[in-house]
Amino acid sequence: MASLQCSSHFLGTNPKKYNPTSIFQSYSRTSFTKLSSRVSRQRFLRCSLYMNGCEADHKAPLGTVETRTLPTVSSPAAATERLITAVSDLKSQPPPFYSGIVRLEVPIEQQIGAIDWLHAQNEVLPRSFFSRRSDAGRPDLLQDFSSDNGSFDRNPVSVAGIGSAVFFRNLDPFSHDDWRSIQRFLSSKSPLIRAYGGVRFDPNRKIAVEWKHFGSFYFTVPQVEFDEFGGSSMLAATVAWDNELLWTLENAIEALQETMLQVSSVIMRLRRESLGVSIVSKNHVPSEGAYYRAVNNALEIIKDKKSPISKVVLARSSRIITDTDIDPISWLARLQCEGQDAYQFCLQPPGAPAFIGNTPERLFHRKHLGVCSEALAATRPRGDSRVRELEIERDLLTSPKDDLEFSIVRENIREKLKTICDRVVVKPKKSVRKLARVQHLYSQLAGQLRREDDEFDILTALHPTPAVCGCPVEEARLLIKQIESFDRGMYAGPIGFFGGGESEFSVGIRSALVEKGLGALIYAGTGIVSGSNPSSEWNELELKISQFTKSLEHESALQPIN
């Protein structure tokens, strides 16, 4: 009966926010009357989202927010067994609170890739994945502003999750109250309880059918989570409950136990070759001709002395149809080969396409009072020789058009940080950031917040950046809404996590929406400023999506982990 209770609450109690005939149509009660062979599958799908934290009173603190660390084990199988026992113990000796969140975690001696663990799990359950960017070789300005002096060293390299202990989603734009609802389940004393998710690029635009399951924003604290550290790993299980939301601790534990039964401990290491998928067709929105016209229209507006717009980013949605389904996790693993200097992410609510990305751009990273961001703009390919590489780099650094595009981004972020920070440092003023296929102009910015509670203001101040929208932001976003004929969804939106003492968000570019049986939608954009050329901008779009299309060409394989 637990599944019926959770599905009833999953549909929501606020008709203004939730419409079962649209957003949640695939989870109606009638699904329980289908053939018995599908009942179990439907139950796990429906129970994976049962408590929307946005419906709670965000001003009422939880009874408890705690982490319980169990003894270290040698393998994922041993960790799974230990967690199953710990969850049973929690059920027999429940915490005496009407609301709370408890994380049970088991350290594992060996380092196992979080993405390898995720690939082995039931794809019916909602999935999340976030891999941090390697910043080796670049100065960490955040250290000068963070108050913890590096005291928290258990920071995962990558995190994978299935199921949802509590989720946060709404059709209305992400608000301060929604942020408070998320913070209610977090604590600096339990730093690995984190809400992973993202926000739409334009929350005021109508949500297209392919993005309907994501809402205006979507965050989740996974039920079962695998954390990859340098040299070790960790398996964790989380229960969250709130009696006022009609989701009791007993409900939460029963749902977690059902999810735990789905956990696979037989993990196959993903080889990082290409996927061997053939692209049957490719269709761009807008088409090349329509894009040229859009760029020329934007240039006319930029040249108009009465217009405040100095830059606008015009994006493209490319639908590819393939000869076989694309496994989003395998695709993401392939992208990791080129992504040591980038964030990787996967966000997939139940019944939804998987939104994956390999983005080089950070929106912000907060550690206590310290916050850092960065400016990233202008694009060139990498050279095929050292001489050619230096030529391209020199051209990028000396190009007036690219300097204008980059300066707009950097100065805009600096001014936004000044509104929420006591002091702001920019270092270096301009440099070149080299990625596997492309290189960009780059600068890092950092500052000290006046209060940790200013985190919501960081997000609203920095998103969207001129690098993905334009300048001034609101005027550019309005122009994008008028020109672009497709829904960006979470493309170019903030993707990352909120935590008790630390939060980090990337910018969801270099991304794709992988649809079951339909191929994928790949997104890319270019910044239009005075001096832009439509043909060059179209070629830049092609260069940016090549990372995705070329990674589908060859056969990939699995290797068992001993």
Side-chain angles (χ1 to χ4, degrees):
M1 295 301 293
S3 59
L4 291 176
Q5 293 177 25
C6 79
S7 63
S8 171
H9 189 70
F10 169 70
L11 294 176
T13 56
N14 187 338
K16 177 178 180 293
K17 294 183 178 181
Y18 301 99
N19 181 356
T21 63
S22 57
I23 296 296
F24 306 130
Q25 186 174 13
S26 60
Y27 307 104
S28 65
R29 286 183 182 271
T30 58
S31 63
F32 281 94
T33 66
K34 295 183 179 181
L35 296 175
S36 59
S37 61
R38 301 178 60 186
V39 169
S40 179
R41 173 185 169 92
Q42 291 291 334
R43 183 179 62 195
F44 288 127
L45 175 61
R46 296 171 51 136
C47 284
S48 56
L49 284 179
Y50 41 75
M51 185 171 73
N52 188 345
C54 291
E55 292 185 341
D57 179 3
H58 63 267
K59 297 179 181 179
L62 288 186
T64 183
V65 178
E66 60 180 287
T67 296
R68 301 180 185 182
T69 304
L70 305 174
T72 301
V73 297
S74 60
S75 69
T80 301
E81 291 179 5
R82 183 153 289 177
L83 275 182
I84 289 174
T85 301
V87 172
S88 296
D89 292 343
L90 186 67
K91 187 174 184 178
S92 61
Q93 296 180 320
F97 302 103
Y98 290 105
S99 64
I101 185 167
V102 176
R103 172 185 165 99
L104 306 169
E105 57 184 30
V106 181
I108 302 171
E109 292 174 348
Q110 56 179 315
Q111 181 177 357
I112 296 169
I115 199 166
D116 297 320
W117 178 87
L118 183 60
H119 188 264
Q121 307 311 314
N122 189 336
E123 65 179 23
V124 173
L125 294 166
R127 297 183 287 190
S128 55
F129 179 82
F130 188 76
S131 181
R132 307 184 77 151
R133 190 181 70 185
S134 171
D135 286 323
R138 285 191 296 272
D140 185 4
L141 297 185
L142 191 60
Q143 292 295 334
D144 299 332
F145 294 92
S146 179
S147 59
D148 70 340
N149 297 318
S151 60
F152 179 58
D153 57 1
R154 296 174 64 247
N155 222 332
V157 175
S158 299
V159 174
I162 58 173
S164 183
V166 56
F167 76 103
F168 308 87
R169 177 168 56 187
N170 204 334
L171 298 180
D172 297 327
F174 188 60
S175 68
H176 189 268
D177 285 350
D178 295 318
W179 175 79
R180 290 282 302 276
S181 295
I182 295 173
Q183 288 296 315
R184 181 171 176 252
F185 287 83
L186 307 178
S187 170
S188 58
K189 294 180 180 179
S190 293
L192 291 183
I193 297 179
R194 294 171 172 177
Y196 296 89
V199 180
R200 283 174 59 81
F201 170 77
D202 187 349
N204 295 312
R205 184 164 187 157
K206 182 180 178 181
I207 300 175
V209 63
E210 65 267 21
W211 289 102
K212 68 177 183 177
H213 293 282
F214 293 83
S216 184
F217 61 89
Y218 170 76
F219 289 90
T220 179
V221 179
Q223 274 182 314
V224 182
E225 179 182 305
F226 194 92
D227 300 335
E228 176 189 355
F229 301 90
S232 65
S233 308
M234 180 182 289
L235 186 67
T238 301
V239 291
W241 71 99
D242 190 334
N243 288 4
E244 290 193 7
L245 292 180
L246 306 180
W247 190 250
T248 66
L249 177 58
E250 182 180 1
N251 296 145
I253 291 176
E254 287 180 0
L256 174 58
Q257 287 175 323
E258 290 182 339
T259 299
M260 289 294 300
L261 292 175
Q262 303 295 294
V263 173
S264 172
S265 298
V266 182
I267 301 168
M268 307 294 284
R269 180 176 288 115
L270 282 159
R271 287 185 179 175
R272 269 57 174 179
E273 290 99 356
S274 301
L275 304 186
V277 175
S278 297
I279 298 176
V280 176
S281 66
K282 188 188 301 180
N283 180 57
H284 304 300
V285 177
S287 64
E288 186 172 2
Y291 187 78
Y292 279 31
R293 290 191 293 273
V295 171
N296 286 325
N297 289 339
L299 287 172
E300 289 299 319
I301 293 172
I302 291 171
K303 291 176 184 177
D304 188 345
K305 293 181 180 180
K306 297 180 181 179
S307 170
I309 296 177
S310 58
K311 174 184 178 179
V312 63
V313 177
L314 298 182
R316 187 184 76 182
S317 169
S318 301
R319 178 178 291 281
I320 61 169
I321 304 298
T322 56
D323 62 345
T324 185
D325 288 357
I326 302 171
D327 177 12
I329 307 303
S330 296
W331 201 6
L332 189 58
R334 176 65 186 91
L335 294 169
Q336 276 192 321
C337 296
E338 300 182 358
Q340 297 303 311
D341 205 18
Y343 296 95
Q344 288 86 40
F345 63 82
C346 174
L347 192 60
Q348 187 173 23
F355 183 48
I356 67 171
N358 185 64
T359 172
E361 189 168 349
R362 169 183 287 160
L363 183 64
F364 74 87
H365 182 194
R366 177 190 69 84
K367 248 186 180 180
H368 301 291
L369 288 176
V371 61
C372 68
S373 185
E374 61 191 26
L376 194 74
T379 305
R380 291 288 191 282
R382 297 295 301 269
D384 54 8
S385 67
R386 179 169 177 77
V387 172
R388 181 59 181 150
E389 178 79 1
L390 291 174
E391 289 176 350
I392 296 173
E393 180 180 330
R394 190 180 305 113
D395 176 63
L396 181 59
L397 285 168
T398 57
S399 164
K401 178 262 180 186
D402 291 307
D403 182 71
L404 172 62
E405 181 181 348
F406 174 71
S407 298
I408 289 172
V409 173
R410 183 192 61 214
E411 295 311 307
N412 182 273
I413 294 174
R414 188 210 299 259
E415 291 305 313
K416 287 180 175 179
L417 284 177
K418 282 182 178 179
T419 65
I420 53 178
C421 295
D422 288 329
R423 62 188 180 98
V424 177
V425 173
V426 181
K427 190 184 295 185
K429 185 177 181 182
K430 182 171 73 172
S431 63
V432 174
R433 173 97 173 272
K434 296 181 182 293
L435 303 173
R437 296 180 186 272
V438 296
Q439 46 192 321
H440 306 282
L441 293 177
Y442 169 82
S443 182
Q444 189 177 175
L445 303 91
Q448 184 163 348
L449 296 171
R450 298 180 182 95
R451 303 176 306 147
E452 280 193 41
D453 284 348
D454 291 338
E455 183 174 71
F456 177 77
D457 295 330
I458 304 173
L459 188 67
T460 54
L462 294 179
H463 171 69
T465 70
V468 296
C469 182
C471 192
V473 166
E474 289 309 316
E475 287 83 352
R477 184 152 54 179
L478 181 60
L479 182 58
I480 290 169
K481 188 174 181 179
Q482 293 171 349
I483 291 178
E484 289 183 358
S485 58
F486 67 95
D487 179 14
R488 289 191 180 190
M490 287 187 176
Y491 162 71
I495 307 293
F497 69 86
F498 288 114
E502 180 175 6
S503 300
E504 186 167 9
F505 280 83
S506 64
V507 181
I509 57 174
R510 315 294 159 82
S511 53
L513 195 66
V514 186
E515 301 175 291
K516 187 74 172 177
L518 295 175
L521 291 165
I522 307 175
Y523 301 91
T526 61
I528 310 303
V529 298
S530 179
S532 292
N533 175 273
S535 178
S536 298
E537 302 302 329
W538 183 265
N539 291 337
E540 183 175 324
L541 293 175
E542 292 290 287
L543 177 64
K544 287 177 176 177
I545 74 164
S546 67
Q547 180 187 46
F548 279 84
T549 57
K550 290 183 178 181
S551 61
L552 296 174
E553 294 173 348
H554 303 293
E555 187 69 27
S556 65
L558 295 174
Q559 271 187 334
I561 293 177
N562 296 324

